[in-house]
Amino acid sequence: MARKPNAILPFREKADDRRRLTGEDGPFAPQVSKTKEGLFSMVVCRAITWDTDFARRSKQVFDSYEDLERERTKHKALHPKDAEQESYFCKKNAYGGTAFGRKFENAKEYWDSAIDLEEEWRELTSREKRCAFTECVNFFRPPGDRAGRFKELGPLAAYLLACDVAYAGLCCYPSLGEVAQAVYDNDAGALKGLRYLGLVGSAGERRNRQTIPAIEAGLQEVMKFVIEGYSEKEREEMGFDIICVEHLLCKLSRNHRLLTAA
DNA sequence: CTCATTGTTGAGGCGTGTCG
DNA sequence: CGACACGCCTCAACAATGAG
C-alpha cells in the first residue's frame, strides 16, 4: 500500500509528496501562489511532473521555463540512472489513461501562458469574496476553448488543479453539484466508482442529462455513508471532505482487484 | 519448485472532427 | 456552444516461457 500512495490512498492530502507540494516551499504557499511563478509551477506539477521522482525530489517552485529546464539538467547529472527514463520527469499515465501529448516540453508554452495570464490570475485569487470553484476550473480550461490555455491540461487535470487551489484557500470548495458536474464532464474514474456501487445507472446512461442529479444523489449517498460510519473526529483526522468523495470513488474501481484479492 | 525475463493485452485521459 | 465518437499508441498487470 505504501508503495504507491498517490494511486491508492483515498485521502489525497495525506500522501507525502502532496504534503510537500502544499507546504511552505510549494507553489500553493501564500507568497507565490498568486504570481506567475506560482501559477506556472502548479500547472507544471499537475500537467507534467505529477507522481514522478522528479516531483518528489526537486524544488517545487520555478522562476521560469529556463529555471525548470536547469533543474532537469541537474537531476540528469545527479541521478543519471533514474533520470535516463523520460518518465522520471513526466508520467503520461499519471491519472490513469495515457495522455500521449503530455510531455516535459509543454512547460515552455505554460510559462508563456503564465506570463499572459498573471494579471487575470491575481485578480481571480485576490477577491474579497473567493471565486466559485467552477470559475477556477474555467480559468485553467475555458469551456469551448478547444486548444486550451494549457496544452494537455484536460478537464480532469483542470478539476484536480482547482481542488488544489481550493485547499490553498484561493477559491471556494466545490459544491456537491459542482463535483457532480465535474464527474459528469470527466466521465472518468469517479463515475465508474459510482456505477460499481450501484448508485448510478449503467454505461448506457452516460451523457444523459438525467444522470447529473443521479450523480449528485450518488455522491450524497457516499457522503452519508462516511458521515454515519465515522465520528467527526475521525473524519477530521482523515481530512475527509467533498473532494475526498470524488477521489475515493476514482480509487475504488482501480483498486477493486486489489481489494477483492485480499 | 522458485525466481527472472520476455510477451501480451486492455484500460483510459486528451485532442480533434462532426453534428445539432 | 455542448455532446459524442474515435484515434492516439503508453504503461501496468498479467501470462507465458526460460533459467537455475
Side-chain angles (χ1 to χ4, degrees):
Chain A
M1 192 140 166
R3 270 177 299 162
K4 299 180 218 156
N6 275 324
I8 294 180
L9 285 178
F11 304 107
R12 65 208 291 273
E13 293 308 293
K14 299 299 177 189
D16 52 355
D17 47 348
R18 170 96 196 125
R19 295 176 80 150
R20 253 194 95 206
L21 210 56
T22 52
E24 56 181 12
D25 295 325
F28 297 98
Q31 67 272 18
V32 291
S33 60
K34 296 177 184 180
T35 67
K36 59 182 180 299
E37 290 82 5
L39 175 61
F40 172 65
S41 302
M42 59 183 80
V43 171
V44 164
C45 90
R46 268 299 177 186
I48 297 177
T49 63
W50 191 256
D51 197 28
T52 62
D53 284 333
F54 179 76
R56 281 183 273 271
R57 292 170 175 169
S58 81
K59 63 173 179 171
Q60 307 284 315
V61 176
F62 306 98
D63 300 336
S64 64
Y65 175 70
E66 285 70 32
D67 188 34
L68 176 65
E69 188 63 60
R70 270 196 300 277
E71 190 73 7
R72 175 161 74 155
T73 308
K74 203 168 107 188
H75 274 250
K76 280 180 174 172
L78 218 59
H79 312 283
K81 223 169 112 190
D82 297 353
E84 206 175 288
Q85 302 284 332
E86 196 48 39
S87 60
Y88 179 90
F89 301 98
C90 176
K91 275 181 79 166
K92 290 181 192 295
N93 63 336
Y95 302 124
T98 308
F100 302 103
R102 186 182 175 97
K103 56 180 193 285
F104 190 89
E105 285 70 24
N106 289 341
K108 205 178 174 77
E109 290 173 41
Y110 296 167
W111 176 245
D112 293 337
S113 299
I115 293 170
D116 293 343
L117 295 168
E118 181 173 36
E119 248 174 82
E120 190 185 332
W121 176 241
R122 186 177 293 278
E123 188 281 320
L124 188 76
T125 54
S126 303
R127 291 182 199 163
E128 199 167 322
K129 189 174 180 298
R130 285 176 194 175
C131 79
F133 177 80
T134 299
E135 196 175 353
C136 184
V137 175
N138 291 346
F139 169 84
F140 291 115
R141 202 167 193 288
D145 182 0
R146 310 208 63 167
R149 294 179 149 182
F150 300 99
K151 216 169 127 197
E152 293 294 325
L153 189 84
L156 178 61
Y159 164 80
L160 293 169
L161 185 45
C163 289
D164 298 338
V165 173
Y167 279 126
L170 298 174
C171 76
C172 287
Y173 271 51
S175 67
L176 202 64
E178 284 175 312
V179 176
Q181 181 69 47
V183 168
Y184 172 81
D185 289 341
N186 297 340
D187 191 35
L191 203 50
K192 279 204 184 114
L194 283 172
R195 287 196 192 109
Y196 174 67
L197 293 173
L199 293 172
V200 298
S202 63
E205 290 173 41
R206 174 184 181 251
R207 296 300 186 191
N208 182 331
R209 279 184 188 284
Q210 301 283 342
T211 63
I212 295 182
I215 291 168
E216 192 169 335
L219 294 172
Q220 187 72 66
E221 199 63 34
V222 177
M223 288 284 280
K224 201 176 130 205
F225 178 82
V226 177
I227 288 169
E228 283 174 359
Y230 298 90
S231 71
E232 195 174 338
K233 185 166 174 290
E234 286 171 319
R235 279 181 273 133
E236 175 83 17
E237 281 169 13
M238 289 187 275
F240 179 79
D241 57 32
I242 179 68
I243 292 171
C244 278
V245 172
E246 190 275 348
H247 197 243
L248 192 147
L249 287 166
C250 290
K251 304 301 145 194
L252 198 57
S253 56
R254 187 186 293 185
N255 294 346
H256 174 222
R257 222 178 296 113
L258 292 171
L259 293 170
T260 50

